[in-house]
Amino acid sequence: MMNTVYDVIIVGTGAAGLFCALNFPETKKVCIITKRRADESDSFLAQGGICMLRGEEDYEDYFEDTMRAGHYENNKKTVDLMIRSSNLVIRELIRLGVRFERDESGKLAFTKEGAHSQPRILFHEDITGKEITSTLLECAKKKSNIEIYEYTTMLDIVCNDNACGGVVIADEANNISILRSNNVVLACGGIGGIYKNSTNFAHITGDAIAIALKHGVEVENLNYVQIHPTTLFSRNKGRRFLISESVRGEGAWLLNKAGERFTDELQPRDVVSHAIWKQMEIDGTEHVWEDLRPLGRDVILQHFPHIYKQCKDEGYDVLVEPIPVVPAQHYHMGGVKADLAGRTSMEGLYAVGEAGCNGVHGRNRLASNSLLESLVFAQRAADDIMFSREHRGCGEDNIDLSEYEDIDGLFREYKNIVLTETERRG
């Protein structure tokens, strides 16, 4: 039976939400809710890896790589904090049981991706997001103070006088109720579900943004939408399968219809995407081709076994032929505006991970910074809740739940708000 009052409510079971929950002591009662199954968050889909600062001599290069990819629109303070915090976060992930690839001597192995000046990305095969997030989920399930409720949808936040006091939810049977807490963390992902072609789960539709706009909470950079250059081309509806950035980082080529390379594959994602669109227009094709054969059989099968299998299931053998790829919506750099502690403009309301925008990514995210950024600022939000002054709460008791009865209509409205505002601010 679900309680109604918690110390902290977290919306979302991705890397940010789970890591935030795990940073509270067992004296704090934490509730995590998610729209679908707990393992159906975009964090589980991340293939490439997670960045880590490789010693002080790497700091300036890592900082510059992040800034350059973001077109120098990044918040320098959040970039610095993310990079400086990376070693502690990685150490904690390893302590929790995350299995990163290691070399023959047992040392951590690193790969390189587009726009990185050197290898600094830790990985687990080509399912790093699943490895990290599933480990966090299993750890959270073992904690006596953490309750996880699947198929539980946030319909709204409870608020008054610019203070948050909980969330309005619907369970799987569409029963509507209220969960109370003076600390609510929005970790419910990006906006991919509003797009026809996206690498995201369809149910992740920017609810945090719509609800923030409804209540006058500040948002930022809503038009900063990242397109991933290489997803497996398909005419079928639904989520697009991503061909990881690290495939190109390891040496894969992009080819036109004549089988010729037409761009530098290691440029930032937005630059590569534009080069692909331009080549498609020149060739009159619906896609270009990505050739994994330069990697060699052993690298493909050992580092990218899931990409190999998925392509094989789709009828392509990457060991002997190029595959058709096309850009698709992948990530949202905008979101609910948040500071270095994940705090929004509403007291008691936090936004972390892709739901929030602290400016770390600027206009365009550097590959494999997303998991790191989510974890760093989720931990910061937990610290702020633990160690800052207590939030006053909203004291709102007179809530008419009948206005939420048309749940389908409510989410059609939310999706329209997000799509309209994203386009309007472009």
Side-chain angles (χ1 to χ4, degrees):
M1 183 71 180
M2 182 182 289
N3 294 306
T4 58
V5 180
Y6 294 88
D7 294 305
V8 186
I9 296 170
I10 299 172
V11 186
T13 52
L18 293 168
F19 199 60
C20 183
L22 288 168
N23 272 273
F24 290 103
E26 297 200 356
T27 55
K28 293 291 184 182
K29 191 161 61 172
V30 179
C31 175
I32 313 177
I33 63 170
T34 184
K35 261 186 186 178
R36 297 290 189 271
R37 291 199 321 262
D39 61 356
E40 289 185 294
S41 73
D42 283 344
S43 296
F44 280 86
L45 304 176
Q47 293 180 355
I50 181 170
C51 296
M52 187 187 89
L53 178 67
R54 298 192 65 183
E56 192 61 29
E57 65 276 6
D58 182 37
Y59 176 83
E60 290 187 8
D61 286 343
Y62 187 1
F63 189 92
E64 173 62 18
D65 290 347
T66 300
M67 295 295 295
R68 184 173 63 251
H71 298 269
Y72 298 97
E73 294 186 26
N74 321 57
N75 181 326
K76 292 182 179 180
K77 289 184 178 180
T78 53
V79 174
D80 174 74
L81 180 58
M82 178 188 71
I83 294 173
R84 294 292 186 194
S85 303
S86 64
N87 293 168
L88 289 173
V89 165
I90 296 303
R91 196 183 307 173
E92 178 64 7
L93 291 180
I94 293 172
R95 188 190 70 80
L96 291 172
V98 174
R99 300 165 297 164
F100 292 116
E101 190 75 17
R102 294 180 181 269
D103 62 22
E104 293 178 356
S105 66
K107 293 181 179 179
L108 291 169
F110 296 88
T111 189
K112 183 179 179 182
E113 297 187 3
H116 284 270
S117 56
Q118 64 173 296
R120 63 169 68 90
I121 299 164
L122 295 167
F123 63 96
H124 176 86
E125 297 179 350
D126 52 356
I127 52 168
T128 310
K130 182 178 180 181
E131 172 66 17
I132 291 174
T133 317
S134 62
T135 300
L136 297 179
L137 179 58
E138 288 308 307
C139 290
K141 286 179 177 178
K142 295 174 183 176
K143 294 289 186 179
S144 61
N145 65 309
I146 298 175
E147 298 175 15
I148 301 173
Y149 293 96
E150 300 178 311
Y151 299 100
T152 303
T153 302
M154 173 180 64
L155 305 180
D156 204 350
I157 57 173
V158 177
C159 60
N160 184 41
D161 192 25
N162 200 41
C164 187
V167 292
V168 181
I169 62 166
D171 64 16
E172 192 172 5
N174 286 342
N175 297 310
I176 301 168
S177 60
I178 294 173
L179 300 181
R180 302 280 184 177
S181 177
N182 292 345
N183 303 291
V184 173
V185 182
L186 302 176
C188 43
I191 62 173
I194 69 174
Y195 290 89
K196 193 173 185 180
N197 293 314
S198 175
T199 61
N200 296 185
F201 281 114
H203 65 273
I204 298 176
T205 52
D207 306 342
I209 294 170
I211 290 169
L213 287 166
K214 175 180 177 180
H215 296 288
V217 179
E218 290 183 45
V219 297
E220 191 169 48
N221 298 340
L222 295 191
N223 58 315
Y224 286 7
V225 179
Q226 184 176 75
I227 307 298
H228 197 287
T230 51
T231 67
L232 191 62
F233 174 76
S234 174
R235 290 189 175 88
N236 298 326
K237 293 182 179 180
R239 185 171 63 82
R240 296 292 174 243
F241 180 74
L242 182 123
I243 307 299
S244 172
E245 187 99 14
S246 56
V247 171
R248 282 179 283 122
E250 291 288 336
W253 296 343
L254 291 174
L255 308 175
N256 61 18
K257 70 177 183 180
E260 303 163 334
R261 294 175 74 181
F262 59 88
T263 191
D264 176 1
E265 292 87 356
L266 296 183
Q267 298 173 103
R269 287 174 174 175
D270 57 339
V271 178
V272 177
S273 293
H274 284 296
I276 291 174
W277 281 320
K278 183 178 179 181
Q279 192 62 47
M280 287 164 54
E281 185 177 355
I282 292 170
D283 290 346
T285 57
E286 295 181 272
H287 56 79
V288 295
W289 288 260
E290 186 166 12
D291 192 350
L292 278 67
R293 291 175 296 180
L295 279 63
R297 179 186 182 90
D298 290 345
V299 172
I300 292 173
L301 295 180
Q302 292 172 18
H303 191 162
F304 305 109
H306 298 274
I307 291 176
Y308 170 76
K309 182 180 183 303
Q310 181 69 29
C311 290
K312 201 72 181 291
D313 291 345
E314 293 284 339
Y316 305 105
D317 187 346
V318 298
L319 297 176
V320 300
E321 62 184 335
I323 56 174
V325 294
V326 67
Q329 190 278 337
H330 179 58
Y331 192 84
H332 192 211
M333 282 74 64
V336 183
K337 187 175 181 179
D339 66 9
L340 272 70
R343 293 176 296 195
T344 71
S345 63
M346 176 177 285
E347 183 174 351
L349 183 67
Y350 295 76
V352 296
E354 199 173 351
C357 178
N358 54 37
V360 74
H361 301 306
R363 181 176 284 271
N364 177 58
R365 176 174 65 83
L366 180 68
S368 288
N369 263 348
S370 55
L371 285 170
L372 176 61
E373 183 263 337
S374 292
L375 298 173
V376 168
F377 292 96
Q379 188 175 57
R380 295 277 300 180
D383 286 349
D384 192 76
I385 292 170
M386 283 293 299
F387 304 123
S388 68
R389 63 177 178 81
E390 288 190 14
H391 298 131
R392 56 190 166 91
C394 70
E396 180 61 69
D397 291 318
N398 300 317
I399 300 171
D400 183 6
L401 297 182
S402 65
E403 66 177 278
Y404 301 105
E405 289 176 355
D406 182 7
I407 294 174
D408 290 340
L410 179 68
F411 278 93
R412 281 195 299 270
E413 179 186 350
Y414 282 172
K415 287 176 71 172
N416 185 59
I417 288 171
V418 175
L419 187 59
T420 300
E421 287 299 313
T422 301
E423 293 177 346
R424 184 180 73 81
R425 299 173 191 232

